Amino acid sequence: MLAYNLIAYLQTQVSALPEHRVANIFKPLASPAEWESSLGWFVIAVTTGIFLVVGALMAFTIIRFRQRPGDDTHQEPPQVYGSNQIEVAWTVIPILIVFVLLGVTARVIASVQNASPPKQELKVTIIGHQWWWEVLYPDYGVVTANEIHVPASRDGKMATYLQLQSVDVIHSFWVPQLAGKTDLIPNRTNYMWIDPREPGVYLGNCAEYCGTQHANMLLRVIAQQPADFQKWIAGQQKPAVQDAGVTQQQAMYGSLACVNCHTIRGTKSLGKFGPDLTHLMDRQTIGAGVLMNDAKNLRMWVNDPQDPKPGCFMPSMKLTDKELGQVVEYLQSLK
Ligand code: CUA
């Protein structure tokens, strides 16, 4: 099943936006990630320095004091005890290095956490579920899943503030190019913020083992030009499209247990357990990034989600071919 995961990552891009597929903290494209990667480079520089000094001293000692032909193998070298200078040096220097690293790290953490919000900010609540992300825009009454649309912030005047919560176990929100990891913990709200500098699709994933499908708890941050973001959010605020061409298909969907778990705003489907499907076709992926969202994959997913995502909480509804076709047709009308 890993193959599905890989396919989702390797698929050609599905939107006009460039995809930032770099799972690498050293290519930051947002302020928190940039500060953290500078810290990363600093720590690497210091530890490389330590490695070189220690390695050079060891190499010197090994070569200079190696056994030579004719050495008496049973003779110990002179034993030296109690050099105050050396002991003070190898105690004080490491302590100073540790304090410098601690201080610099604390400063970066504090500057990320205490950064004052810019004038324009977007609030988004992310709720971790086994194994998908619920995404709410409280100021707009919008609910979606797994793909977080935000405005890009080229001039640093816009940031997105994330409230992180969980309904079950501990998850961790991580989009390497945007910010460090922050856990989503039951009965607690954590905060973080991102300000993607370039429009594009930033890939991320859950970074805390949270059960069978932890590896398939993928997420996308879709940064758009502010005007495009406003258009997107206006589209999301509308209730589901009522397409007269799929009335029968909608009735079929409505007769199934799907309605107990999924919300489609403007219909009688009001379940809360699974992702909101009101504008399902707006999403690039299904199953939290496991499959690209196209007709073939959607059919495969509805037929048996346990195939691409074994252990997930959506069961196979054992639909007949005709029922399956109708449900998929209805879902595809949810633009
Ligand atoms: Cu959610 Cu790992």
Side-chain angles (χ1 to χ4, degrees):
M1 292 313 120
L2 266 179
Y4 287 107
N5 190 352
L6 198 62
I7 287 164
Y9 268 95
L10 297 181
Q11 288 260 1
T12 48
Q13 66 186 56
V14 290
S15 72
L17 290 167
E19 291 207 358
H20 300 284
R21 295 168 173 277
V22 184
N24 182 340
I25 66 160
F26 295 114
K27 291 223 166 62
L29 280 171
S31 306
E34 190 177 271
W35 303 340
E36 284 154 17
S37 84
S38 314
L39 174 63
W41 281 119
F42 177 74
V43 173
I44 287 173
V46 170
T47 48
T48 304
I50 295 172
F51 174 79
L52 291 177
V53 169
V54 172
L57 286 172
M58 275 181 67
F60 170 78
T61 312
I62 288 167
I63 293 164
R64 172 76 177 73
F65 300 105
R66 70 187 185 280
Q67 189 181 37
R68 292 186 172 84
D71 280 357
D72 179 353
T73 50
H74 298 294
Q75 196 187 323
E76 278 192 358
Q79 300 296 300
V80 181
Y81 295 101
S83 163
N84 284 341
Q85 282 103 324
I86 293 177
E87 285 174 15
V88 166
W90 75 42
T91 308
V92 171
I93 294 172
I95 288 177
L96 287 179
I97 294 172
V98 167
F99 272 103
V100 167
L101 293 179
L102 185 77
V104 175
T105 307
R107 212 176 87 171
V108 170
I109 292 173
S111 56
V112 171
Q113 286 186 347
N114 300 338
S116 45
K119 283 216 176 81
Q120 289 172 287
E121 54 165 328
L122 171 70
K123 290 198 189 79
V124 180
T125 302
I126 315 258
I127 303 175
H129 293 252
Q130 284 175 315
W131 289 277
W132 59 282
W133 311 87
E134 186 175 0
V135 182
L136 301 98
Y137 295 78
D139 295 339
Y140 297 93
V142 164
V143 183
T144 180
N146 304 320
E147 297 177 11
I148 304 156
H149 287 247
V150 303
S153 169
R154 277 209 168 120
D155 48 8
K157 283 189 192 138
M158 178 81 210
T160 302
Y161 279 73
L162 307 176
Q163 289 200 25
L164 306 174
Q165 299 166 347
S166 169
V167 292
D168 38 45
V169 299
I170 300 177
H171 304 273
S172 184
F173 184 95
W174 191 34
V175 183
Q177 287 190 282
L178 299 183
K181 301 165 185 172
T182 307
D183 282 2
L184 298 85
I185 298 170
N187 295 318
R188 186 190 154 85
T189 301
N190 278 340
Y191 299 90
M192 67 183 290
W193 59 278
I194 52 175
D195 59 347
R197 302 228 172 101
E198 291 173 19
V201 181
Y202 297 80
L203 300 188
N205 49 273
C206 181
E208 176 78 44
Y209 182 72
C210 54
T212 322
Q213 283 298 332
H214 157 69
N216 280 330
M217 191 166 164
L218 308 175
L219 68 106
R220 288 169 176 243
V221 171
I222 300 170
Q224 296 170 291
Q225 297 291 2
D228 293 337
F229 171 76
Q230 288 304 334
K231 261 186 238 160
W232 177 83
I233 203 101
Q236 295 289 308
Q237 283 177 311
K238 294 182 186 141
V241 178
Q242 298 285 345
D243 183 343
V246 293
T247 315
Q248 272 189 354
Q249 289 86 335
Q250 182 174 356
M252 169 56 69
Y253 169 88
S255 72
L256 297 167
C258 312
V259 298
N260 296 332
C261 286
H262 293 286
T263 291
I264 300 177
R265 272 174 286 139
T267 73
K268 286 183 180 141
S269 185
L270 293 170
K272 293 281 177 215
F273 191 72
D276 185 298
L277 302 178
T278 309
H279 298 286
L280 176 66
M281 297 323 288
D282 171 71
R283 292 185 213 147
Q284 300 175 351
T285 63
I286 44 179
V290 173
L291 297 167
M292 298 313 286
N293 187 6
D294 60 33
K296 193 168 140 266
N297 286 341
L298 195 56
R299 192 181 165 93
M300 183 217 282
W301 175 262
V302 177
N303 182 43
D304 187 7
Q306 300 299 320
D307 180 12
K309 199 162 178 174
C312 77
F313 292 121
M314 177 166 161
S316 164
M317 304 303 292
K318 311 276 184 227
L319 304 181
T320 64
D321 251 18
K322 189 184 166 215
E323 291 167 335
L324 183 60
Q326 289 194 325
V327 169
V328 171
E329 274 172 39
Y330 172 57
L331 292 177
Q332 286 190 288
S333 77
L334 300 173
K335 302 234 156 51

